[in-house]
Amino acid sequence: MNFVMNLYLYALLTKTLKRTVTRIRVWTGSALGAVCCTLLPVMPGIPVFIKRFAGPMAVSMAVTAGIFRMKHVSSVVKAAGYLYVYAFVFGGMMKFLFLNIPFLHRAQGSIWYILGAGMLGYQVTAWWLAQLKKRKEPVICRVRICGCGNGIWLKALIDTGNSLREPVSGKPVSVVDADIFGRLNGVRLPEKLKVIPYRSIGRENGMMEGYEVPEIIIDSGEGLLRQQKAVVGISRTKVSADGRYQMILHPDLCGKASGERTDVPAEGQER
């Protein structure tokens, strides 16, 4: 019973405080608090005041601080205050329902299992919906375009719908903002020029200016993927209207890079 109540109370507290907390910490903290509050009344040699009041309050504050990783006493006291208000309302509501609804009065023992199953179902559903949302969200990563003697780190959208390829070599083509490409040294050379045909809304047959750059480095999150002599198309308009990214990365570059992995350098560090 205490465990199920704690799950609901900490779920409400999470919404109230608007803090990010993992489900594992909530479930572990709820279980630990329930065990401590169950064992405290039967422990010998402890004054009644501590068993009934000070002890449970200290347990609640300690568990709350652990779940939400609070370091300031004022924050813990405030959160514990919310928790006790919720506990008072929740307990009063359950007592009213048990006394006035015959079915619930007869099923007092099993109702907590139902509530626990409901919370478990809610958590599983919330996790599943979060995974679906992640799949629908655009994947943005860090990419470094290397010129002759310099390079630029930028944010790139991995676009699975990007099928651009350089017609002669068949190499995948990524697209970058023109102002970003203009910061690279020694890459706008006639012998490196590529003419890339493309189609877009309102333009059936377009031609994009592109160049072969010495290297593209993709931060995969686990290391760096390198693509030597990559082809980059130049967009005369912003590839992202809101500025979230400055490059559209061809998906094949993430799976067909040279395979060399190194540690990720610090932001702005030259390699």
Side-chain angles (χ1 to χ4, degrees), residues 152-213:
I152 300 172
W153 280 105
L154 47 80
K155 292 182 178 180
L157 171 70
I158 302 177
D159 185 6
T160 56
N162 178 11
S163 59
L164 283 179
R165 290 188 176 273
E166 199 275 316
V168 177
S169 65
K171 289 183 177 181
V173 177
S174 300
V175 181
V176 67
D177 287 346
D179 58 340
I180 298 293
F181 192 82
R183 301 177 196 172
L184 296 173
N185 296 333
V187 293
R188 218 163 191 153
L189 302 174
E191 62 269 22
K192 300 293 184 181
L193 175 64
K194 309 291 181 182
V195 178
I196 304 159
Y198 72 95
R199 294 180 180 180
S200 64
I201 298 175
R203 190 161 189 171
E204 184 66 21
N205 295 301
M207 291 294 174
M208 179 185 297
E209 178 187 2
Y211 291 89
E212 183 182 270
V213 298

Side-chain angles (χ1 to χ4, degrees), residues 204-236:
E204 184 66 21
N205 295 301
M207 291 294 174
M208 179 185 297
E209 178 187 2
Y211 291 89
E212 183 182 270
V213 298
E215 186 179 48
I216 285 180
I217 305 174
I218 303 167
D219 182 354
S220 66
E222 299 178 353
L224 299 182
L225 297 174
R226 297 175 176 272
Q227 177 66 49
Q228 306 288 337
K229 296 182 179 180
V231 178
V232 176
I234 303 174
S235 175
R236 299 300 177 184

Side-chain angles (χ1 to χ4, degrees), residues 49-212:
F49 175 77
I50 296 179
K51 288 184 177 182
R52 293 186 177 180
F53 302 103
M57 183 177 296
V59 169
S60 297
M61 294 179 68
V63 171
T64 301
I67 290 177
F68 296 98
R69 295 181 178 177
M70 294 177 172
K71 298 180 179 179
H72 300 289
V73 176
S74 58
S75 300
V76 177
V77 172
K78 180 180 178 181
Y82 283 124
L83 197 66
Y84 273 93
V85 170
Y86 295 152
F88 177 80
V89 174
F90 188 79
M93 181 181 66
M94 294 303 296
K95 186 175 182 180
F96 174 82
L97 294 175
F98 286 151
L99 291 176
N100 293 275
I101 301 179
F103 167 74
L104 293 179
H105 180 73
R106 293 191 301 268
Q108 289 188 44
S110 60
I111 194 65
W112 297 105
Y113 294 102
I114 298 174
L115 291 174
M119 175 56 72
L120 178 61
Y122 166 77
Q123 294 288 350
V124 171
T125 302
W127 174 84
W128 180 67
L129 292 175
Q131 297 304 309
L132 289 179
K133 184 178 179 181
K134 286 182 180 180
R135 293 178 182 178
K136 293 180 180 180
E137 289 179 347
V139 179
I140 298 176
C141 64
R142 291 177 63 222
V143 171
R144 179 179 174 84
I145 304 179
C146 298
C148 296
N150 76 330
I152 300 172
W153 280 105
L154 47 80
K155 292 182 178 180
L157 171 70
I158 302 177
D159 185 6
T160 56
N162 178 11
S163 59
L164 283 179
R165 290 188 176 273
E166 199 275 316
V168 177
S169 65
K171 289 183 177 181
V173 177
S174 300
V175 181
V176 67
D177 287 346
D179 58 340
I180 298 293
F181 192 82
R183 301 177 196 172
L184 296 173
N185 296 333
V187 293
R188 218 163 191 153
L189 302 174
E191 62 269 22
K192 300 293 184 181
L193 175 64
K194 309 291 181 182
V195 178
I196 304 159
Y198 72 95
R199 294 180 180 180
S200 64
I201 298 175
R203 190 161 189 171
E204 184 66 21
N205 295 301
M207 291 294 174
M208 179 185 297
E209 178 187 2
Y211 291 89
E212 183 182 270

